[in-house]
Amino acid sequence: MAAHQSPRPTLARIAAAAGVSVSTVSKVLNGRDDVSDATRRRVDAALRRHGYVRRGVPALGAAPRTVDLVMGSLDGSWQASVASGMEEAAYEAGLHVVISAARQGGHGPDWLDRILERGTAGVVLGLVEPTAEQLARLAGAEVPCVVIDPLSDPPPGVTSVGTSNWAGAYEATMHLLERGHRRIGLVTGPPQHLFAQARIAGYHSALAAAGAEADPDLVRHGTYDRASGGALVRALLALPDPPTALFVCSDHMAIGGYEALAGAGLRVPEDISVVGFDDLPEAEWVSPPLTTVRQPLKEMGGNALRVLARLIAGETPQTARIELATTLVVRGSTRPRD
């Protein structure tokens, strides 16, 4: 005779043990982000105490399932913030995260070869644009994929997590316009990138709303690093009619811009106002502290993992794109124009 097996505990029993509603337990099981951390921990404790096995997650004592976070680069606090948010959410979901860089070419296998050879339950891509062939290989291996901050429009069937880049750029530009600036330089990334296009559109919309002229000479494209930011700001300062304010679409580029302004004998914000984008820890370290658009980077990582967990469990996401809100953080790098 087969050994007697205890029935699987019901959601009502878990809810009663945790002191919450059944719908709250369901939200935790489905990785929803509209549950407080304290409530999530209480429900998770009740699930473990009663031996509840979540769909798509191995039982206690079994080997934990592994997911991959693959990023274009591992250098920088942007990557660290995203990885931190994803790891926290993975812990709550009973998953382990392996983090790697998307190295391609060279003498070894590329990122996709490596993760498929090792075995993975799913993959999150951060600032990595998968090719159609790579997406087909993932689909063929039944490995779900979520993209953070896609560089271009993801194809149908690929879920992405990003931020409201247009709204963030609009708010940053309007902040400068409301302080009397009309010649506002825009320092941004490659024009083919989806989020760069959204920030440029937000910048232009704010100018149009304020009746300010859009001068194409004030828009400069580079790469999202310190050296590029410095070079582009120096080019703007060399114009016959240079800007009185700068909207720099990366905190790293803005720090490079600070160095260029100091080299030109200009003070921030007395001579020129500066707004960045990201709200990395470095934004508070510079002098003066940088006014910047906050991207909720940890939340982006956490949301990407929770969506991936639902895909692993065989669920269909409610939307193909999750867009989190940005916030303008005003510090000491902007002031009204004299």
Side-chain angles (χ1 to χ4, degrees):
M1 180 181 294
H4 174 72
Q5 292 183 333
S6 299
R8 186 187 193 196
T10 64
L11 293 189
R13 183 179 175 189
I14 300 298
V20 299
S21 66
V22 171
S23 64
T24 298
V25 176
S26 179
K27 288 179 180 180
V28 172
L29 288 171
N30 288 309
R32 292 272 295 275
D33 58 0
D34 53 345
V35 179
S36 72
D37 290 341
T39 299
R40 190 183 303 278
R41 285 193 295 270
R42 197 161 69 247
V43 172
D44 280 333
L47 291 167
R48 288 193 296 270
R49 192 163 61 248
H50 290 277
Y52 189 96
V53 179
R54 306 184 214 197
R55 189 156 61 97
V57 177
L60 291 175
R65 300 190 72 172
T66 299
V67 296
D68 279 81
L69 170 59
V70 181
M71 293 189 281
S73 166
L74 300 183
D75 297 327
S77 46
W78 189 100
Q79 292 85 343
S81 296
V82 169
S84 174
M86 182 170 167
E87 191 280 331
E88 288 182 10
Y91 177 80
E92 297 291 343
L95 298 168
H96 279 190
V97 180
V98 175
I99 302 173
S100 59
R103 296 184 179 89
Q104 301 192 41
H107 302 293
D110 69 8
W111 64 268
L112 182 54
D113 293 325
R114 292 197 308 273
I115 67 172
L116 291 181
E117 181 180 352
R118 185 183 67 249
T120 185
V123 59
V124 172
L125 301 176
L127 297 180
V128 175
E129 185 165 24
T131 65
E133 179 186 0
Q134 288 170 334
L135 290 173
R137 289 180 63 194
L138 286 171
E142 298 184 342
V143 174
C145 173
V146 177
V147 180
I148 296 177
D149 252 358
L151 301 179
S152 61
D153 280 317
V158 176
T159 303
S160 67
V161 177
T163 54
S164 52
N165 288 289
W166 183 94
Y170 183 94
E171 187 176 14
T173 308
M174 192 59 71
H175 173 78
L176 294 169
L177 289 163
E178 290 171 349
R179 279 147 187 80
H181 298 282
R182 288 298 179 266
R183 286 190 63 76
I184 300 171
L186 177 66
V187 176
T188 187
Q192 69 272 21
H193 287 176
L194 189 63
F195 48 84
Q197 294 170 7
R199 294 173 194 178
I200 294 168
Y203 163 84
H204 282 299
S205 294
L207 291 177
E213 181 182 356
D215 184 349
D217 284 342
L218 293 179
V219 178
R220 301 299 168 112
H221 296 277
T223 51
Y224 290 102
D225 58 76
R226 191 166 173 169
S228 177
L232 296 177
V233 169
R234 283 190 291 271
L236 287 169
L237 295 178
L239 291 172
D241 187 9
T244 65
L246 298 171
F247 173 33
V248 187
C249 293
S250 154
D251 287 351
H252 284 147
M253 296 178 86
I255 292 170
Y258 265 40
E259 295 168 350
L261 293 169
L266 297 175
R267 300 165 301 163
V268 177
E270 290 83 359
D271 300 315
I272 188 165
S273 289
V274 182
V275 177
F277 203 107
D278 286 329
D279 195 26
L280 302 177
E282 295 92 318
E284 295 188 82
W285 302 345
V286 293
S287 182
L290 180 65
T291 294
T292 188
V293 177
R294 178 183 181 269
Q295 289 200 92
L297 298 174
K298 286 189 66 173
E299 292 89 337
M300 288 164 65
N303 272 272
L305 186 284
R306 286 187 279 272
V307 171
L308 186 66
R310 292 197 287 271
L311 292 171
I312 292 171
E315 299 178 17
T316 300
Q318 296 177 342
T319 179
R321 176 170 173 81
I322 296 173
E323 190 169 275
L324 305 180
T326 56
T327 307
L328 182 67
V329 180
V330 179
R331 298 193 178 101
S333 65
T334 57
R335 61 173 288 178
R337 186 182 179 195
D338 293 333

